[in-house]
Amino acid sequence: MNALGRQFARPRRPQSRLGVLAAAMVLFATACAGPRAATRPDASGPPRAVATTPTQFFGRAYEELSGRYIAPIDMPALAGSGLSGLSKLDPRVNVRRTDTRLDVLDGAVVTASYDLPRRDDALRWAQLTAAAIDSARGFSQPLREANNERVYRAILDSALAPLDGYTRYDDPERTRDVRATREGFGGIGVTLAFEQGEARIEAVPPDSPAARAGLRAGDRLVGADGRSLIGLPDRDVLARLRGPVGTEVRVDVRRPGVDAKFELRILRTHILPATVTYRRDGDVAYIRVAGFNQRTAENLADAIRRAKSEIGPQMRGAIVDLRGNLGGLLDQAVGVSDLFLAGGTIVTTRGRHRGSLQAMSAQPGDVGEDVPLVVLINGQSASASEIVAAALQDNGRAIVVGTTSFGKGSVQSIVTLPNEGELVITWARFHAPTGYPLADLGVVPAVCTSGADADVDRALQAVRQGRTTRPETMARWRAADHSDMEGLKRLRSICAPENAARDSDIAIAAALLRDRGLFARTLQSVQTAAQAR
């Protein structure tokens, strides 16, 4: 963790329905979509307003971008692009930059003109930005009516748009939601679906405050603390269920088969969304890792211990399913990899900031080091999940099954801004243990199930015949020219990325683990490919 906050790696996600195990609308990339999207409440209701001036806000933002972004920042271009975003709030507002001056225009009429600061003076550029905003507000009614937060978002969204696509600004409300995903929140711990203006409970984890209070799946929450929840927007419902840890919420419940509604009192506790689920499949442990938050490595270790205890000496191994896992905290990806590795490099990160130059290695003594392992990935396995897949494959520790992964490959540093929003800055790219960058390329599995190869019998027959990812393919992967996007696409097409999470992948993984001879031969081919140059 750096001094400004945790580092994480996670790509933008296309809009989709996300199932979650606590009750909040968490926005990592997009809102949960659809009328039945499960959502979860966070710690404290609406974010409190924090007084900050535009100069303070942009001064911090520009300074951090200038010092931490992975490539040198052109401050005149950044500020100029940002100020062009004022036209989103009022098309009459135009900004024109020359080599020496910046003009603010009402349509085609110049209303103010400013000398440009030195290129590297972030504070002066922030002052110029604030002055330009004030000038535009002098003639623009929409800008006068817009609060500072709307202006901040319009400018930073435009300023950051030309960058790498992962550097972004999260306003205080979005920050609260995203922080809840990675750090937890005060809540009651249920999964909700919103239907026809009502909040229906989909699931109640057995150790949650809601379960202890007597809530059940199928119950409908119709009131909280004496106020109706019926017909409220999803976010407002969630905000009323949230609150500081240790406080009480009184919920009105309508239960199927019970004529009258009734009230339950629930004491909020710290809820951290579950990212690890385990189930026994005969002599194989199936472990799904849906994301990487503060407890993922710890919970995965617990799942492995439970599997060893439950299955006993006949345990053939574990399937770690990373399909659809968009990533999360970098330290948790390292911790998960370390669980299975007695030594070796896990990942290296490289960027412009000296703090981004890191090499992370495994240490012996963890619970998963003796467990035969198959890892599942697909086209939506990204960032932190790619770190894990690459670390275990390149160290010859696991057989990776599935399709080529997303190829995100960058690490973000989180900076808290004066208004309690966050600036998420790409500050490093990560490299697999064998040295290749994962950005735009991803991890290619040893056993490809893309397209026709998804058939279980056909895929296993190919493995028995030694038709796994060949050493020369891995050599090309590691020697790829990352400035040649067409060349990268051709490489990725060897095992085309797909977003499906087929049951056949799990069946192939289980069959590999249960055939010890086949597993050993395939793992040996993985180790040979890892050494290819």
Side-chain angles (χ1 to χ4, degrees), residues 436 474-482 491:
Y436 70 95
M474 293 307 305
R476 289 172 59 198
W477 214 264
R478 294 177 185 119
D481 178 0
H482 281 251
L491 270 180

Side-chain angles (χ1 to χ4, degrees), residues 115-140:
D115 292 331
L116 298 187
R118 293 197 325 268
R119 301 182 70 87
D120 60 349
D121 193 334
L123 177 58
R124 295 293 183 188
W125 280 100
Q127 291 171 339
L128 174 58
T129 300
I133 293 168
D134 284 343
S135 296
R137 277 177 164 158
F139 62 82
S140 169

Side-chain angles (χ1 to χ4, degrees), residues 189-206:
V190 296
T191 302
L192 294 180
F194 291 90
E195 299 174 334
Q196 299 177 341
E198 288 192 343
R200 180 178 59 81
I201 296 177
E202 284 196 329
V204 184

Side-chain angles (χ1 to χ4, degrees), residues 193-478:
F194 291 90
E195 299 174 334
Q196 299 177 341
E198 288 192 343
R200 180 178 59 81
I201 296 177
E202 284 196 329
V204 184
D207 59 347
S208 66
R212 290 190 288 271
L215 281 176
R216 304 175 187 172
D219 287 347
R220 295 181 181 271
L221 304 183
V222 296
D225 291 330
R227 302 174 68 183
S228 175
L229 298 179
I230 297 175
L232 290 182
D234 299 357
R235 183 176 290 279
D236 290 350
V237 173
L238 301 172
R240 292 184 185 180
L241 295 175
R242 299 172 175 179
V245 171
T247 61
E248 183 182 77
V249 59
R250 295 177 289 111
V251 296
D252 296 323
V253 182
R254 183 171 292 127
R255 177 168 290 167
V258 177
D259 291 337
K261 71 178 181 180
F262 57 93
E263 181 183 274
L264 292 175
R265 295 173 178 264
I266 307 176
L267 192 67
R268 298 180 179 101
T269 62
H270 183 258
I271 303 295
L272 191 65
T275 58
V276 178
T277 54
Y278 155 75
R279 73 168 186 262
R280 177 178 179 175
D281 180 10
D283 52 4
V284 170
Y286 172 82
I287 303 172
R288 167 88 176 117
V289 182
F292 293 83
N293 65 18
Q294 286 185 335
R295 290 185 190 159
T296 298
E298 174 188 342
N299 291 343
L300 181 55
D302 289 342
I304 296 166
R305 292 188 189 96
R306 180 181 167 192
K308 285 184 170 183
S309 173
E310 197 173 279
I311 302 173
Q314 68 268 32
M315 179 173 165
R316 295 288 186 169
I319 301 168
V320 176
D321 191 347
L322 300 176
R323 294 173 301 174
N325 183 326
L326 290 175
L329 297 175
L330 173 61
D331 61 349
Q332 293 297 303
V334 172
V336 165
S337 302
D338 198 8
L339 286 175
F340 300 103
L341 292 170
T345 298
I346 293 173
V347 67
T348 59
T349 62
R350 306 173 196 171
R352 188 166 57 95
H353 191 284
R354 65 180 182 179
S356 70
L357 305 175
Q358 302 179 41
M360 299 151 199
S361 300
Q363 300 298 322
D366 291 294
V367 67
E369 290 172 10
D370 61 341
V371 177
L373 198 61
V374 176
V375 174
L376 304 183
I377 62 172
N378 68 2
Q380 287 188 322
S381 301
S383 288
S385 56
E386 292 177 287
I387 289 173
V388 174
L392 298 177
Q393 179 163 266
D394 279 11
N395 282 286
R397 180 63 185 83
I399 299 171
V400 178
V401 173
T403 75
T404 296
S405 63
F406 186 94
K408 193 246 183 184
S410 62
V411 183
Q412 283 68 46
S413 179
I414 303 172
V415 177
T416 301
L417 296 174
N419 67 335
E420 293 197 350
E422 287 182 345
L423 194 59
V424 180
I425 304 174
T426 296
W427 82 325
R429 304 208 184 281
F430 55 78
H431 295 246
T434 51
Y436 70 95
L438 289 160
D440 302 316
L441 188 56
V443 179
V444 61
V447 179
C448 179
T449 63
S450 180
D453 290 336
D455 179 80
V456 176
D457 292 336
R458 186 182 299 119
L460 288 173
Q461 182 63 26
V463 174
R464 292 188 184 98
Q465 294 172 355
R467 289 189 280 120
T468 57
T469 298
R470 302 177 65 81
E472 51 265 37
T473 298
M474 293 307 305
R476 289 172 59 198
W477 214 264
R478 294 177 185 119

